[in-house]
Amino acid sequence: MYSSLSWFLARGVFRTLTSYPDPGEGDGLVGDLATDAGTPNDDATEWTFTLRSGIRFGPALGGERIPDVTGTEITCDDIKYGIERIFLPSVEAGYPFYYDVLVGAEAFSHGRASDIAGIECIDDKTIAFHLREPTTDWPSRLAMPASTPVRRAYASRYDRGVTSSYPSHVLFSGPYFVARHEDGGLRLERSPDWDPASDAVRGAYVDGVDWRFGFGIGDGIAKVTSGEYDLAADLPPTGKLLERIVTDPSTLARLIHEPEGCIRYLFVNTKVRPFDDALVRRAVNVAIDRANLKRIFGGPATGPIASSVIPPGIDGYLSPARFAPFATYASAGDIDRGRRLMARAGYPDGYDRPITAVGSPNPPFDAIFDSVVGDLRRLGFSHVVTLQPTSGDEYSKYYSRLSSRTAVGTSTGWCKDYPGPYSILGSVLSADAIDPSSSRNYSFLDDDRLERAIGAAEAEVDPAAATALWEKANRVATESAAWVPWSWDETAIVYGTRVRDAHYLPFVTQIDWVNARVRRANGS
């Protein structure tokens, strides 16, 4: 599970070591399976958590009750195995890189150890994590589904082989379990093993959830605004549909419009000439018409034009008034200024050798691709080879592979995995994110100054000092000019007439459904 939509579901069926409370009551990290958000040592290389009593495994998929597992109390080893299994090849987990800072993780992932030594079960209710380097946001990483408890003796048999079959036998630990899973949707029912007194995060007020799949944005929103459905997940209204909602008082009153913690950008590959030269990268940054990209994407309703890497709502964010190193009039780009930078880089007549630009063929990214390629040609790149492969292939076959020699990518974006700056700078711009065949750092940027800035910020335990250091890291990342940030996304969510207490949860960029209420037919 590695998307905001899947984490939206996970919020109700899985519990994690830490989590986020009802947004109507607070916004800080709290203990979930744990009694609190953890206790670090002085340099944040060790974290200790105490598990709550009375939290039990619920049924497995389909409501099956597993002997000696369902109804038994969750212990330290269940957390330990849950994290260890994300390093198993059979599991094909999406984000083990957040946990490879654990002592012994590398040895375990390469089969040289039978467990991760850095996860220590002091006793059944006390777990300690030993890390190779200071990691002040460790509790935030444990709020992701990777710290969901998994019973070793039950699940390990399914994790053997080429591909784990545990998804067909998965155990649930939250207030709901998946009673039915079909192509058209899910049916969630209340778990008889969930104790409300043990859960400081979820009210779980509704008795069950019918989740239907396969709607287009227009159809899905229509079903919600008519009252047939209560919530629409991952169906943000845009364009004329959004205009109709905001001009109708009855739907405007049920609209939430909030930052997503996402940034959209185009990248240049620092390993491909001439983009190994920072002056050329800066020329691209000032030449791109960001305002046009934003118009194509949907205009101001989709969020502001980005001027740096870290988006609003995340530590290290810098407003455009404070920091905008590549600002141009009305964000429309400045070709003349870009050409002057190209001349300083040694290309007064432009660059006539081939460069490859890769983008998506799907709207609106096809038009974004055309806009970027046009700006590059006006800047002086006279031989732009254009590729728009099948949707999705631009990532797997081009952006992530150094051998593809992709010079410019136009359909990229990234959302924070948790409300912390490392989940952006560390995940997709650091040297740790570089892999020749499956890189998350599509620019292949390996900048010593940025690495030092990220390391210093991640190691700082004083919150005010850490904020200043993350702001510095944001400046360094933006000034590297490996990205051209053009949107800090905002999402629009409309909910149904029966819903009460519809609070926005930034972690999943959705309404926090486990703490929402639904009015009954009798009006109560």
Side-chain angles (χ1 to χ4, degrees):
M1 305 180 84
Y2 193 23
S3 69
S4 60
L5 185 61
S6 64
W7 290 3
F8 174 76
L9 166 65
R11 174 86 166 157
V13 298
F14 298 128
R15 295 184 68 171
T16 47
L17 206 55
T18 61
S19 193
Y20 301 90
D22 180 345
E25 299 179 0
D27 58 3
L29 198 70
V30 297
D32 183 3
L33 292 169
T35 56
D36 56 31
T39 303
N41 63 352
D42 289 343
D43 66 353
T45 57
E46 294 181 7
W47 287 86
T48 305
F49 299 81
T50 301
L51 272 61
R52 296 179 190 269
S53 297
I55 303 180
R56 295 174 171 82
F57 280 113
L61 183 66
E64 182 182 4
R65 298 191 68 81
I66 308 301
D68 301 321
V69 180
T70 300
T72 64
E73 197 149 342
I74 291 168
T75 66
C76 174
D77 189 65
D78 300 323
I79 308 296
K80 180 178 172 73
Y81 185 65
I83 295 174
E84 285 177 342
R85 69 188 297 275
I86 70 170
F87 290 96
L88 299 177
S90 65
V91 174
E92 300 180 327
Y95 52 97
F97 52 86
Y98 282 122
Y99 306 95
D100 60 12
V101 70
L102 282 161
V103 171
E106 182 179 4
F108 178 76
S109 66
H110 288 89
R112 300 195 303 270
S114 59
D115 71 341
I116 295 179
I119 308 177
E120 179 188 5
C121 287
I122 297 172
D123 56 44
D124 277 353
K125 291 296 182 182
T126 312
I127 187 167
F129 298 95
H130 305 274
L131 312 176
R132 291 184 289 102
E133 58 192 46
T135 309
T136 52
D137 63 0
W138 184 248
S140 296
R141 304 186 192 195
L142 297 176
M144 296 189 283
S147 76
T148 290
V150 180
R151 182 60 55 88
R152 187 186 302 268
Y154 169 70
S156 58
R157 54 181 163 162
Y158 299 119
D159 286 338
R160 299 189 187 104
V162 176
T163 301
S164 173
S165 60
Y166 182 65
S168 298
H169 306 274
V170 60
L171 279 167
F172 301 101
S173 51
Y176 303 96
F177 67 93
V178 178
R180 188 173 66 252
H181 181 202
E182 305 166 334
D183 289 342
L186 299 171
R187 168 67 186 178
L188 308 185
E189 295 180 1
R190 189 180 298 282
S191 170
D193 302 282
W194 175 72
D195 180 2
S198 75
D199 200 328
V201 171
R202 303 160 189 83
Y205 302 112
V206 300
D207 295 324
V209 180
D210 282 310
W211 191 350
R212 301 286 103 191
F213 301 149
F215 295 107
I217 290 178
D219 289 342
I221 296 300
K223 289 183 179 296
V224 170
T225 55
S226 69
E228 181 180 351
Y229 281 63
D230 297 304
L231 294 176
D234 203 30
L235 294 175
T238 58
K240 293 188 180 299
L241 179 58
L242 181 58
E243 183 179 338
R244 287 200 299 271
I245 289 170
V246 300
T247 54
D248 182 340
S250 67
T251 53
L252 179 60
R254 292 181 280 114
L255 179 70
I256 290 176
H257 197 209
E258 295 284 348
E260 286 191 278
C262 301
I263 180 169
R264 295 190 186 273
Y265 64 94
L266 63 95
F267 71 86
V268 293
N269 190 331
T270 62
K271 302 301 181 187
V272 173
R273 291 187 65 188
F275 302 110
D276 54 344
D277 188 328
L279 283 172
V280 174
R281 301 198 298 268
R282 290 170 190 162
V284 173
N285 263 268
V286 300
I288 294 297
D289 188 344
R290 302 176 202 226
N292 192 47
L293 302 186
K294 175 56 76 170
R295 279 193 295 272
I296 294 168
F297 192 59
T302 63
I305 294 173
S307 58
S308 61
V309 170
I310 296 179
I314 297 178
D315 206 16
Y317 163 73
L318 294 162
S319 71
R322 291 183 61 196
F323 179 67
F326 305 114
T328 60
Y329 179 74
S331 299
D334 187 333
I335 295 296
D336 290 339
R337 181 178 160 199
R339 285 175 175 168
R340 290 194 295 272
L341 285 166
M342 290 288 288
R344 285 177 56 194
Y347 305 106
D349 300 318
Y351 190 82
D352 60 1
R353 296 179 184 177
I355 64 165
T356 301
V358 180
S360 169
N362 296 333
F365 298 103
D366 54 346
I368 286 171
F369 180 77
D370 291 342
S371 180
V372 170
V373 169
D375 289 340
L376 290 173
R377 286 172 173 155
R378 283 188 289 275
L379 182 59
F381 289 92
S382 58
H383 194 167
V384 181
V385 178
T386 60
L387 295 175
Q388 291 174 279
T390 302
S391 181
D393 284 355
E394 71 267 29
Y395 291 93
S396 60
K397 294 183 178 180
Y398 295 95
Y399 297 169
S400 64
R401 295 188 181 185
L402 184 60
S403 60
S404 75
R405 305 293 293 171
T406 300
V408 180
T410 67
S411 56
T412 41
W414 186 259
C415 294
K416 56 42 175 158
D417 288 322
Y418 54 87
Y422 184 86
S423 73
I424 293 177
L425 295 184
S427 295
V428 287
L429 261 179
S430 74
D432 288 343
I434 293 175
D435 183 289
S437 60
S438 58
S439 187
R440 301 184 311 277
N441 181 342
Y442 303 138
S443 294
F444 292 89
L445 177 69
D446 188 353
D447 186 312
D448 288 342
R449 188 174 169 228
L450 179 58
E451 298 304 307
R452 290 193 299 270
I454 293 172
E458 183 69 354
E460 180 54 64
V461 296
D462 177 73
T467 294
L469 289 171
W470 282 119
E471 289 178 352
K472 177 182 177 181
N474 188 12
R475 292 175 186 271
V476 173
T478 305
E479 289 169 348
S480 76
W483 286 6
V484 181
W486 59 268
S487 177
W488 288 318
D489 284 4
E490 292 180 355
T491 189
I493 304 169
V494 64
Y495 55 90
T497 55
R498 302 193 308 157
V499 177
R500 299 293 180 269
D501 299 331
H503 301 140
Y504 179 74
L505 183 64
F507 177 57
V508 295
T509 64
Q510 303 281 346
I511 289 172
D512 188 22
W513 68 271
V514 297
N515 286 303
R517 303 172 191 263
V518 177
R519 191 180 64 223
R520 299 179 190 273
N522 63 8
S524 64

